Amino acid sequence: MSSGPARKRTAILISGRGSNMVSLVEAAKPADFPAEITLVLSNAPEAGGLARAAEAGIATAAVDHRPFRGDREAFERAMDEVLRINQIELVVLAGFMRVLTPWFVTRWQGRLINIHPSLLPLFRGTHTHRQALEAGVAEHGCSVHFVVPELDAGPVIAQAKVPVLPGDDEDKLAARVLEQEHKLYPLALAEVASGRAVLAGDSVIRR
Ligand code: GAR
């Protein structure tokens, strides 16, 4: 039996409950999915997502950022070592709530993607659903993008939109967006892992 192209060894970085991580792990189960999730890594040893990953049979690791006392690069060097030991080729941020330094971002350039709960370039940073409600937009959503040194500024690979409805509060809107995140992220990961979406300078090239 001939084997297909090698699947990209992929790590998912999380800080919390890991619902996007679970949807990515599910999507990557078939042997023809171009990414193989081989590690779930967290900066928070108590993150609920670590237990969910372990239940799914994925190797887990935690590099607690707190002992590094604000030395972000030293923290990232420790994470990078774990990624190297696990022979990781692609890094997927899924609710990873530490801002990464240019050192890490440059090292993983083109192999580092993130999901952000807004239609970038709108509403960078935190509390994106609150920002959307306060701005009074009719549409909101989520974006998967390549990570660049500037926060939430990398070229967008894919987006999904949801309506903002009368009576929405942050939680209702967040839940509507999250449902789309769970569909969008596996599609975007497949594009990147298969080489169909490639970072080229400030843009994404399709092949
Ligand atoms: C998701 O909504 C993700 O888009 C967001 O955190 C949530 C994590 O949920 N990420 C960011 O805000 C990154 N700046 P999850 O842990 O259930 O996947």
Side-chain angles (χ1 to χ4, degrees):
M1 205 176 84
S2 69
S3 56
R7 305 171 75 196
K8 284 273 180 326
R9 289 180 63 86
T10 300
I12 304 178
L13 270 54
I14 63 167
S15 297
R17 65 190 167 184
S19 73
N20 274 291
M21 177 274 297
V22 169
S23 82
L24 289 165
V25 166
E26 277 300 313
K29 273 184 181 165
D32 61 352
F33 192 85
E36 182 184 4
I37 313 301
T38 52
L39 178 71
V40 173
L41 173 61
S42 181
N43 65 296
E46 70 282 2
L50 286 176
R52 298 175 80 178
E55 273 168 33
I58 311 286
T60 64
V63 177
D64 192 339
H65 66 278
R66 288 166 292 197
F68 294 93
R69 296 182 173 279
D71 185 343
R72 292 195 290 149
E73 197 175 306
F75 159 65
E76 291 169 0
R77 284 184 187 277
M79 281 204 306
D80 195 72
E81 180 66 7
V82 175
L83 297 173
R84 194 188 62 75
I85 289 166
N86 284 276
Q87 298 175 297
I88 295 302
E89 300 171 282
L90 204 53
V91 175
V92 172
L93 307 179
F96 183 73
M97 302 311 271
R98 308 300 300 171
V99 174
L100 295 165
T101 68
W103 176 77
F104 188 89
V105 172
T106 305
R107 190 170 171 74
W108 287 94
Q109 189 168 308
R111 303 176 296 152
L112 176 61
I113 63 175
N114 179 46
I115 191 158
H116 182 76
S118 79
L119 295 174
L120 291 171
L122 293 177
F123 315 134
R124 294 178 184 178
T126 55
H127 305 297
T128 56
H129 310 302
R130 190 186 308 167
Q131 292 188 55
L133 289 170
E134 284 173 1
V137 290
E139 272 187 333
H140 184 44
C142 51
S143 308
V144 178
H145 63 94
F146 282 106
V147 178
V148 299
E150 192 184 340
L151 187 65
D152 300 331
V156 169
I157 300 159
Q159 291 183 315
K161 293 179 180 172
V162 301
V164 180
L165 300 176
D168 269 355
D169 57 20
E170 278 184 62
D171 288 347
K172 285 183 192 162
L173 191 51
R176 196 174 306 125
V177 171
L178 192 65
E179 217 182 295
Q180 294 305 314
E181 292 186 41
H182 295 164
K183 294 178 188 162
L184 184 71
Y185 215 174
L187 297 175
L189 172 58
E191 286 199 55
V192 173
S194 64
R196 275 181 283 133
V198 179
L199 176 67
D202 296 338
S203 50
V204 176
I205 290 182
R206 270 25 232 211
R207 289 191 170 141

